[in-house]
Amino acid sequence: MSKLSHLDEHGRASMVDVSPKDPTERVASAEAVIVLSEEAFKLALSGEAPKGDVLATARIAGIMAAKKTSELIPLCHPLALSHAGIEFAPDDERSALKIVASVKTVGPTGVEMEALTAASVAALTVYDMVKAVDRSAVIESVRLLSKSGGKSGTYEAEPKSAPAPEASAPVLPRPKAAPRVLVHEASAPRARNAPEERSALRAFMTERRLRATEWAKSASVPLNELYGFLSGRARAIPPATAERLAEAAGVSVDTMFGRKGSR
């Protein structure tokens, strides 16, 4: 068994002395996968989450984490990174996001930990951005995808293959967090056709480039009343709130909800 490089001859933790090594180009990539509820997944992609643009925020967080890895992982060397990037690959069938971090430097040691830290922090940031809608979101894996450069050469991870479910064990849907019932949700009247009107309202917001936070503020209405309906937690938007939102958008309530016969 090879000796762990971060332990000295007495078994004590120590930072590896890399000064004798020649600087070479070092590249690494890592991925993290986070599985969301359908509503949280759609909001993450839409950029309309209550806290703002989920993917943009997670991308910045991942890049910052790559640069600060040596401050988080005790025995990592501070490195001058020449590149750090975050990309997202949505999986519509699973309502999941695959986050891929890529990092590069020219130096005497590798950037695997920088890539892994970037992917991990980006996934944690996605969770933080959507937890108001989906506290049951799961970061199901973090792994190194590839690395190159240095004495150990090139590494490529094996492609993932989904395990086949056992015949005797039925596949059950992932449980969703039970939403907290708000006062306006219990008292609001039921929408004529909540799913259709919710979809119509989202399309209306997209067409007119209305952000939930800014629209609610301009209409002087509570954001949670608008967002509760958009996320599916509320059956309807209270009539007074709907009137103010429509007025702020310069349309009728029927137009806002895509009701037939509206103009």
Side-chain angles (χ1 to χ4, degrees), residues 7 79 103 158 190 218 263:
L7 298 178
L79 298 176
V103 182
E158 294 290 333
R190 185 176 295 276
S218 67
R263 292 186 296 175

Side-chain angles (χ1 to χ4, degrees), residues 9 31-33 77 91 96 114 117 172 178 187 197 240-241 243:
E9 62 271 18
E31 74 169 14
V33 178
H77 297 81
D91 183 341
E114 283 72 13
T117 301
L172 300 177
S187 59
E197 295 199 347
T241 298
E243 289 285 352

Side-chain angles (χ1 to χ4, degrees), residues 115-174:
L116 287 162
T117 301
S120 301
V121 171
L124 287 169
T125 302
V126 170
Y127 182 91
D128 178 59
M129 295 290 286
V130 304
K131 68 179 185 289
V133 178
D134 181 20
R135 293 187 185 274
S136 65
V138 175
I139 300 173
E140 66 175 20
S141 66
V142 177
R143 66 170 184 154
L144 182 68
L145 291 178
S146 65
K147 61 84 60 179
S148 64
K151 185 178 178 181
S152 60
T154 299
Y155 167 82
E156 295 285 345
E158 294 290 333
K160 273 188 176 181
S161 57
E166 298 180 10
S168 58
V171 179
L172 300 177
R174 183 169 62 87

Side-chain angles (χ1 to χ4, degrees), residues 14-262:
S14 65
M15 180 180 283
V16 176
D17 183 1
V18 298
S19 57
K21 297 183 179 181
D22 293 328
T24 61
E25 183 177 76
R26 312 287 187 127
V27 180
S29 65
E31 74 169 14
V33 178
I34 180 168
V35 183
L36 310 167
S37 68
E38 184 178 352
E39 291 294 335
F41 178 71
K42 290 179 180 178
L43 282 166
L45 297 182
S46 72
E48 297 293 340
K51 287 189 174 183
D53 191 323
V54 174
L55 302 189
T57 305
R59 176 175 285 111
I60 295 297
I63 292 171
M64 290 179 62
K67 296 193 293 183
K68 290 183 172 290
T69 298
S70 64
E71 299 177 27
L72 301 172
I73 311 297
L75 302 180
C76 281
H77 297 81
L79 298 176
L81 303 183
S82 56
H83 167 76
I86 300 287
E87 297 297 332
F88 301 94
D91 183 341
D92 295 334
E93 291 186 3
R94 301 181 62 217
S95 295
L97 285 173
K98 183 170 86 168
I99 302 166
V100 178
S102 58
V103 182
K104 181 188 296 185
T105 191
V106 175
T109 189
V111 286
E112 295 97 316
M113 290 309 303
E114 283 72 13
L116 287 162
T117 301
S120 301
V121 171
L124 287 169
T125 302
V126 170
Y127 182 91
D128 178 59
M129 295 290 286
V130 304
K131 68 179 185 289
V133 178
D134 181 20
R135 293 187 185 274
S136 65
V138 175
I139 300 173
E140 66 175 20
S141 66
V142 177
R143 66 170 184 154
L144 182 68
L145 291 178
S146 65
K147 61 84 60 179
S148 64
K151 185 178 178 181
S152 60
T154 299
Y155 167 82
E156 295 285 345
E158 294 290 333
K160 273 188 176 181
S161 57
E166 298 180 10
S168 58
V171 179
L172 300 177
R174 183 169 62 87
K176 294 183 179 179
R180 180 166 55 92
V181 177
L182 303 177
V183 173
H184 75 272
E185 294 176 4
S187 59
R190 185 176 295 276
R192 301 180 187 182
N193 190 325
E196 289 186 6
E197 295 199 347
R198 186 175 294 114
S199 297
L201 182 58
R202 287 178 183 152
F204 174 79
M205 292 176 65
T206 300
E207 180 184 352
R208 296 181 177 240
R209 297 182 179 180
L210 293 171
R211 286 185 172 272
T213 50
E214 297 170 359
W215 191 19
K217 184 177 180 180
S218 67
S220 299
V221 300
L223 175 62
N224 65 344
E225 293 185 353
L226 171 59
Y227 194 69
F229 180 66
L230 288 171
S231 65
R233 291 189 299 165
R235 298 175 310 216
I237 296 177
T241 298
E243 289 285 352
R244 289 183 181 179
L245 288 169
E247 183 179 354
V251 299
S252 69
V253 173
D254 285 343
T255 297
M256 191 170 69
F257 287 116
R259 293 169 182 165
K260 292 181 179 179
S262 62

